[in-house]
Amino acid sequence: MQKVSKTEQKQIKSLKYKKYRYKNGLFVVEGVKVINEFLNSDYQLVRLYSLEDVFDVSEEKLRRVDLATLKSLSFLSTPQIALAVFEIKQVKALKYNALTLALDTINDPGNLGTIIRLCDWFDVRDIICTKETVDCYNPKVVQSTMGSLTRVSLHYLDLPQVLQSSGLQIYSSEMTGESVYSAELNQHSILVMGSESHGVSKEISSMSSPLTIPHFGSDNKTESLNVAMATSIMLNEFKRRTIEMKS
Amino acid sequence: MQKVSKTEQKQIKSLKYKKYRYKNGLFVVEGVKVINEFLNSDYQLVRLYSLEDVFDVSEEKLRRVDLATLKSLSFLSTPQIALAVFEIKQVKALKYNALTLALDTINDPGNLGTIIRLCDWFDVRDIICTKETVDCYNPKVVQSTMGSLTRVSLHYLDLPQVLQSSGLQIYSSEMTGESVYSAELNQHSILVMGSESHGVSKEISSMSSPLTIPHFGSDNKTESLNVAMATSIMLNEFKRRTIEMKS
């Protein structure tokens, strides 16, 4: 068993906070399955703390620790078998290859994690976020992406400005607008999802074509879908048509 | 301010557990918005504990309490303004009006809550669950449905037997099967979703037509969608066609 110094312990715990993640350029990943996804990606491992010998990494980066030590490092209520520290990656320049997703401020880490996982599934490789959107290296986001973060790039930018200068068609998900079921959807475009509490901002609405998911049932009192659910339906509508176009 | 006796406090805290919920026939709802949804439904209020006078309920059911008392009763890390105890409702007999959803064991309360909310959105009024599926009156389920539980009925039954005797076409969501995008979908049917870890059981698979959500991208490594996400896409595929059929 190897000891983890108080200083090292303190540094890892500080990575819960965005300020310290970016100051150190580091973030935390927990659990064998998710750690392996990061090991098999272009993320650089700094240190791996593990109860068991289940990883193929160099000796100098590995620390065999006991459960008490792992518990003292973990952000989870029930720690997994291992915890790893990786370097934050330089984001590649934004390219508009196909559909790009944009998030007009998502605060909930679970929602962002789910949206990243959905993008991975639907082969959407870039997400543009307002600078107010929760950081993708937040431990809760990292855990809920289940490794999808290794395959999707998040760009935290001045969203209205990026949209304006993109030259692309902009769609926004709104409470009223053209039904996404019947609208003609331009695949080389940007789709903006708004926050659950405030929706898409006026500024962004004014430059985009509003799309809506129709209500079902005559007496339907459901106010809204959760933003992650709405994203799954919107992305599904865009992407299933690419399959139909091929066949 | 009114006092809440130790016995009353203990009874409410016990409703965290299924055994005591069904022994007492009671469950807990928290937060003004969700409580109001239950007050405006056919659920019967037993007692309401509130920091503020914001509800239109009879005096004998209302307890004005302070924050310390509310904290001692709440299941949330940050208690809302109010907490209410309602009676568990007798479930109406299962009717197959249109599409019915079936759950082959969902363990995660957040997933079940999201699925109930999705059913409400897509006008699916009945869900059949295995008896092993998490209880819909679990506090975490109740909170994550955001009131949708008042409009969707859950039937905990012997699922294989119910499917067999339904006489309806059964679909199951699987890793392989006919693409849900191109399959002809019978709207008067039952759609079975399996648990994320084990999928649909062999017994149920053998009596159903497998449907699958196609993968996107040539090099897609995403293993699977979360069951709530998969449900949103499946329900969307069934339901959008009912709109297309009308138009």
Side-chain angles (χ1 to χ4, degrees), chain B residues 55-90:
Chain B
F55 296 96
D56 184 25
V57 301
S58 70
E59 274 300 317
E60 86 254 29
K61 290 184 175 179
L62 186 66
R63 298 276 182 280
R64 283 290 304 273
V65 295
D66 57 22
L67 187 59
T69 307
L70 194 68
K71 269 188 182 164
S72 76
L73 302 176
S74 177
F75 296 130
L76 305 172
S77 50
T78 314
Q80 308 276 331
I81 286 164
L83 180 150
V85 177
F86 283 89
E87 280 175 26
I88 288 176
K89 208 173 63 174
Q90 197 69 31

Side-chain angles (χ1 to χ4, degrees), chain A residues 195-210:
Chain A
S195 75
E196 191 160 23
S197 38
H198 303 105
V200 174
S201 72
K202 274 192 186 167
E203 186 181 7
I204 290 175
S205 266
S206 70
M207 56 177 99
S208 58
S209 316

